[in-house]
Amino acid sequence: MANETNELSNALNNLLDTASKLVQQSADLLGSGVKVVVGIVEPLGKTAIDLVGSAANTAGQVLQNVTSAIAPKK
């Protein structure tokens, strides 16, 4: 009887150990996925911000040129 109890205890311990390892590996996988997504989005966001800044600078230069062409010369 004691042997059966010991085997049941070992089986439950093994089951819980396996379940905890699965949860840990899932958490690690999720963390790695988040790092990959951030690694991809970060450069894209920087490029988009740089593009908007360049477009704003170009629009400002065009406006200055138009203003200079329209303004009366002294």
Side-chain angles (χ1 to χ4, degrees), residues 13-32:
N13 283 338
N14 288 339
L15 181 63
L16 290 175
D17 186 46
T18 302
S20 68
K21 286 179 183 176
L22 284 172
V23 169
Q24 182 63 42
Q25 287 178 350
S26 297
D28 292 344
L29 185 60
L30 181 63
S32 296

Side-chain angles (χ1 to χ4, degrees), residues 8 16 20 22 28 38-39 41 48-49 51 53 59 61 65 72-73:
L8 178 61
L16 290 175
S20 68
L22 284 172
D28 292 344
V38 168
V41 170
I49 290 171
L51 182 62
Q61 289 174 354
N65 289 339
K73 307 260 191 275

Side-chain angles (χ1 to χ4, degrees), residues 1-72:
M1 182 77 172
N3 212 12
E4 291 174 359
T5 304
N6 195 19
E7 287 178 8
L8 178 61
S9 177
N10 286 339
L12 286 175
N13 283 338
N14 288 339
L15 181 63
L16 290 175
D17 186 46
T18 302
S20 68
K21 286 179 183 176
L22 284 172
V23 169
Q24 182 63 42
Q25 287 178 350
S26 297
D28 292 344
L29 185 60
L30 181 63
S32 296
V34 168
K35 287 179 184 178
V36 167
V37 169
V38 168
I40 291 171
V41 170
E42 186 178 13
L44 291 176
K46 183 181 181 323
T47 302
I49 290 171
D50 290 346
L51 182 62
V52 169
S54 295
N57 287 340
T58 302
Q61 289 174 354
V62 167
L63 185 60
Q64 284 179 345
N65 289 339
V66 169
T67 305
S68 299
I70 294 173

